[in-house]
Amino acid sequence: MKYPFAFLFVATSLCFSTATLAQEPYLGISIATPGEGSWQYAPGKFVADNEHKLSKKLYGGWNFTNQFSLEAGYLSSGYHFQSPEKNTAFANLNVKMLYTAGKVTMPLGDAWNVFGKLGVAQIRSAFSAQNGYTNSSRAVRPLLGLGLDFKMTQHLDMTLEFERDGKINHVPQQKLEAGLKWRF
């Protein structure tokens, strides 16, 4: 290349153009359904989650354009299983997830947007049963999400999303979430 400095100058100028500086960061919080899951407490005998605690998610992102953003977040959920045959037999599963994803948004008017999300999630789980059995695991799973957001004010959105992250210890990690997102 005859003028590498000129190429570098043009590339740098494009990266810091006015449109790039006008990008919009956001932070969000949501609660999610407890998800589905069952524990096999005896051969051929399963029991479902009986506490149904809501999961909590905290996330942030950066809108590069009106249609594309990158997002990262943290989700915490837990399950409690109790055997119907023996009131004393129980197990707990705690799940923590960190994720990063690309998000594509399509406007449906002035206030509504529909979005899709594709990324990767690192999931940590800790399982413990009354009989003393414990198991911890880490897994990396693909993340897929679909949702709607509604602009309530200039900076505040209400969101509704379905997200799926695979299975951990036979427990599907799929959740329906509702929350709020603050755009700066």
Side-chain angles (χ1 to χ4, degrees):
M1 183 178 279
K2 191 172 183 179
Y3 299 104
F5 183 77
F7 175 77
L8 184 60
F9 178 77
V10 171
T12 305
S13 297
L14 289 174
C15 288
F16 291 102
S17 67
T18 306
T20 302
L21 294 175
Q23 295 167 4
E24 186 176 77
Y26 60 89
L27 290 175
I29 188 166
S30 60
I31 55 172
T33 57
E36 305 163 10
S38 60
W39 170 50
Q40 182 176 351
Y41 63 92
K45 296 184 179 184
F46 294 86
V47 65
D49 177 19
N50 67 336
E51 284 191 359
H52 306 291
K53 293 181 184 176
L54 294 177
S55 301
K56 295 125 194 117
K57 180 172 142 182
L58 180 62
Y59 61 95
W62 191 272
N63 290 329
F64 288 96
T65 68
N66 288 337
Q67 289 81 30
F68 181 73
S69 58
L70 287 178
E71 187 173 290
Y74 171 80
L75 180 123
S76 174
S77 60
Y79 304 87
H80 179 81
F81 307 105
Q82 180 128 10
S83 165
E85 295 175 1
K86 304 173 192 171
N87 286 337
T88 58
F90 67 89
N92 291 304
L93 176 64
N94 293 313
V95 179
K96 310 290 185 219
M97 179 181 79
L98 290 171
Y99 76 90
T100 184
K103 183 175 168 184
V104 176
T105 303
M106 186 176 83
L108 296 177
D110 291 338
W112 291 94
N113 292 316
V114 63
F115 62 86
K117 191 187 294 187
L118 182 62
V120 64
Q122 179 185 26
I123 304 171
R124 290 186 195 181
S125 66
F127 181 83
S128 61
Q130 177 193 14
N131 64 6
Y133 174 77
T134 60
N135 181 20
S136 295
S137 66
R138 257 187 175 166
V140 175
R141 301 279 190 259
L143 175 133
L144 177 65
L146 300 169
L148 288 169
D149 65 30
F150 174 71
K151 293 181 182 176
M152 296 172 24
T153 69
Q154 181 180 356
H155 296 286
L156 187 64
D157 293 357
M158 183 175 65
T159 62
L160 183 64
E161 179 178 0
F162 174 78
E163 202 170 82
R164 177 153 174 86
D165 320 312
K167 289 183 179 183
I168 296 294
N169 291 339
H170 307 289
V171 180
Q173 297 301 304
Q174 55 192 23
K175 312 233 181 264
L176 184 62
E177 305 171 6
L180 297 172
K181 178 175 78 172
W182 179 262
R183 291 175 282 107
F184 294 92

